[in-house]
Every structure is written in C-alpha cells, then in structure tokens.
Amino acid sequence: MRFSAPRCMGTAIAMACIGVSVATQSLHNTFSTYSFQPQSTSTTKSPGYTILSDLLLDIRGGAQRKRGGRTASLYSTSKTSNKTATGKKKVGGAKEEKKSAVSDTLTKYKSILPLTRIYITMVGIVTLLGLILGDELSQGLLALDPIRVMYGLELWRPFTAACFLGPPSIGWLMNAYYLFEYGSSLERAFGTAQHLLFLLLQIGFLSVFSAFFAQPFFAQSVITSMLHVLSRSMPNQKVKWLIFTVPYWTLPYGLMASDVLQAGNAAAALPHVLGILSGHLFFFHKNIWPKLGGEDWLVPPDFLVRRLDADARNKSKNSISAALKSRKKGKGKKLGSS
C-alpha cells in the first residue's frame, strides 16, 4: 500500500500539532499548579513538573539530576564536615568525636615515661582489684604479710602493698597525681635504669620498715620518699604549697602535717616518716657518701642502662663517632727508615 509524500507530511504535521497542544496543556496545568496556587510545605512534585524538567535537561545535553537535591558545593563539603547544611550534627559525628577523645587520651598515656606509666597502671589495677574483692579480701590478698612472703612464697605482696592507695576518693586522686609528678621528675632526672633501681630499693626498705611497724600498705611512703629525694636535690628552691612559698626541703614535712590535720590523728604521720627515712637512705648513699670518699654502689648494671636508657645509648654512640672524627692522622714512618 503506497502513501504519497504530501499525505505523509500532512500526517506528520498533524501529529506534531497534537504533541504541541498536549505539551501546552501540561505546561498550562503545571504553571497553574505551581505559579498561581499557594505553595505547600510538602516537597512532593507533580508528574508534569518532573516530565518538563527532564525534557529540559535532555534538550541541554542529557545532564542527569543529582539525587538528594544538594548543590555541588554543599555535597562536596558535607563529606569532610561533621555538620549538615542546616548546621546540625550528623548521626555519626558524636562517634567521631568520641574516637578523637579516646585517641587523645591514649596518646597522652603513651607519652608518659615508661617506668612511671607502668607504676600508674599497676596502681589502677590494684585499686580495681580492691574494689572487686572488698576490704577483707583485699587485705588478705594484697597486703604485706612477711610470714606469707617468706614461708608461703607470696612474692607479689611487697609490690601490691607499694601500689595500693585505698579506694577511689579525692585523696586517691591527689596521691596518684603526686605519684605521676614526682615519679616523672625522678625518671627524667635519673634515667629509667636508675629510677628502676631506686623503686626496687624503696620497696625493699619499706617492706622491712612496714613489717616492723605493722603497716599493711606503703604506697604513700613511696610517694614521700620520691618527694624527699627531689627536695634534697634542690633544697633551697622556692616552691608553692597551698598559699605559701616555702623551700623545697620542707615540702615533705608540710604534706605530713596536712595529712595529720585531716586525719586528726598523729598516726597518720607514720607513712611519711618511713618514706623520709627510706628516701634519705638512698640519697645519702647516692649523693653524700661518694663526696665523703666512699664508693657509689647504687649504680644500675650496664645491661639495664643499655636496655632501658635509649638516650644514653645515643649519647655514647655520638661521643664515639665524634672522637673518631676528631682524631687526626699522624705522619707515619716507612719501615726501615731511621
């Protein structure tokens, strides 16, 4: 069946007119819906508006609309920001802040000097065990008992007695801070190996003193011994204590007086007295006795220094290399020359 060219063209023109009229009608309905009626708060769009917008996008080159209705700038910046375009926090923003806080805490914990960090960790573990076990069981398991140490080989008791500061309280927080402050200062001044020898000697001295005076725990005495050694190293330096400015050597006695006043009992001075005695034994044999002509026998072994003090190893390597570089080559003589 054949169709003439004029008839085909007429049919195409008629179909085009029908399409234009349909598009005009839909455009009129769209404008009447969106331009002349009040806008509602709903975000639902009519099919006519969607068809028209898709038609315009196709005419412009086939660009696709981004899902979500965000512009490129807001969409790109929302990936790195913890807030939405309206200024509210994202759902996962709190988790990211918690992760950053935990990571900052771990970074600060790892920045503590190694031996002081181990000591503080042991204090936390022993305190947690004391809370779990209760007063009676913690006294029976963690306290210093010379009979069980010698005959029962319960060798952990001197170390747990040196780490137990009592149940969590304001006094516990203050003692933990003193332990961190004075322990870090001593380890920074002496080195890790010398500080380890100091702590082992203090635990040994205080185990004997506490067994003689029936003291089950002596962590407070260890803190006082640290403070006494520091204060004797710089006795005339002025330091702040409460609202007073006092010489450094008086600070251990000031802390002892404050504990006695808080407890209302003179027996609270006994741990401080034991700490001052044990600390002075170390200070005398380390600093005073060698000046009187004696031998300093409180020297850490070389393997501990090589193992624990990385700075000492680096300094020794640098000194050796500097000595080798500074050595001058002499003028040698030939063999057989007079």
Side-chain angles (χ1 to χ4, degrees):
M1 188 175 181
R2 295 182 179 179
F3 296 95
S4 60
R7 184 177 297 178
C8 292
M9 291 181 63
T11 304
I13 292 171
M15 292 178 67
C17 292
I18 293 172
V20 169
S21 63
V22 172
T24 304
Q25 184 65 29
S26 63
L27 185 63
H28 175 72
N29 293 334
T30 301
F31 281 127
S32 63
T33 303
Y34 286 89
S35 299
F36 300 99
Q37 291 182 0
Q39 293 183 356
S40 61
T41 57
S42 174
T43 57
T44 308
K45 297 179 180 179
S46 66
Y49 180 81
T50 306
I51 294 172
L52 180 61
S53 59
D54 292 340
L55 180 61
L56 291 175
L57 289 174
D58 291 336
I59 293 173
R60 292 173 61 185
Q64 295 182 356
R65 183 188 300 275
K66 286 185 178 180
R67 303 299 181 187
R70 293 178 178 177
T71 61
S73 60
L74 292 176
Y75 184 76
S76 60
T77 57
S78 63
K79 292 182 180 180
T80 58
S81 177
N82 289 331
K83 294 184 179 181
T84 60
T86 58
K88 296 181 179 180
K89 289 185 177 181
K90 288 184 178 180
V91 177
K95 294 182 179 179
E96 293 179 0
E97 290 180 358
K98 288 181 180 179
K99 288 181 180 179
S100 62
V102 172
S103 62
D104 291 341
T105 304
L106 289 177
T107 302
K108 292 179 181 178
Y109 174 75
K110 292 178 180 179
S111 65
I112 302 174
L113 295 175
L115 199 56
T116 306
R117 181 172 67 242
I118 293 172
Y119 199 173
I120 292 175
T121 305
M122 290 178 64
V123 168
I125 293 172
V126 172
T127 303
L128 183 60
L129 285 175
L131 289 175
I132 294 172
L133 297 175
D135 292 337
E136 295 183 0
L137 287 178
S138 61
Q139 287 277 343
L141 185 62
L142 304 176
L144 178 66
D145 191 342
I147 304 300
R148 292 186 178 182
V149 172
M150 290 186 293
Y151 297 102
L153 295 180
E154 297 180 1
L155 302 179
W156 68 85
R157 289 182 177 273
F159 298 98
T160 54
C163 295
F164 188 70
L165 290 172
S169 61
I170 300 298
W172 186 93
L173 288 176
M174 294 299 295
N175 288 327
Y177 172 75
Y178 292 150
L179 178 62
F180 163 73
E181 187 69 24
Y182 303 146
S184 299
S185 299
L186 278 178
E187 188 172 358
R188 193 176 297 110
F190 290 164
T192 303
Q194 183 68 63
H195 188 53
L196 176 61
L197 181 61
F198 167 79
L199 288 178
L200 292 177
L201 289 173
Q202 294 307 305
I203 291 173
F205 292 153
L206 290 171
S207 296
V208 176
F209 295 159
S210 299
F212 185 77
F213 288 98
Q215 295 291 313
F217 303 103
F218 51 85
Q220 180 64 59
S221 301
V222 176
I223 296 173
T224 306
S225 67
M226 292 180 181
L227 178 57
H228 179 74
V229 173
L230 284 173
S231 65
R232 294 301 300 173
S233 301
M234 300 172 289
N236 297 320
Q237 182 179 353
K238 302 297 183 180
V239 294
K240 278 284 187 181
W241 180 64
L242 299 179
I243 60 174
F244 307 104
T245 301
V246 296
Y248 203 175
W249 67 270
T250 62
L251 193 56
Y253 304 99
L255 291 178
M256 179 176 63
S258 64
D259 283 352
V260 170
L261 291 176
Q262 288 179 1
N265 190 358
L270 182 58
H272 296 278
V273 173
L274 296 180
I276 291 171
L277 288 176
S278 62
H280 193 71
L281 281 175
F282 178 85
F283 181 80
F284 177 81
H285 288 91
K286 185 67 180 175
N287 298 95
I288 300 176
W289 181 247
K291 294 179 181 179
L292 298 177
E295 184 180 357
D296 182 13
W297 54 275
L298 297 180
V299 178
D302 292 336
F303 72 91
L304 277 181
V305 176
R306 290 193 300 267
R307 180 67 178 173
L308 299 178
D309 292 331
D311 295 337
R313 293 199 302 267
N314 294 332
K315 287 180 181 178
S316 63
K317 289 180 180 178
N318 294 333
S319 63
I320 292 172
S321 62
L324 291 175
K325 289 179 181 179
S326 62
R327 188 177 63 179
K328 297 180 179 180
K329 295 181 179 180
K331 296 181 180 180
K333 294 183 180 181
K334 294 182 180 180
L335 291 175
S337 62
S338 57

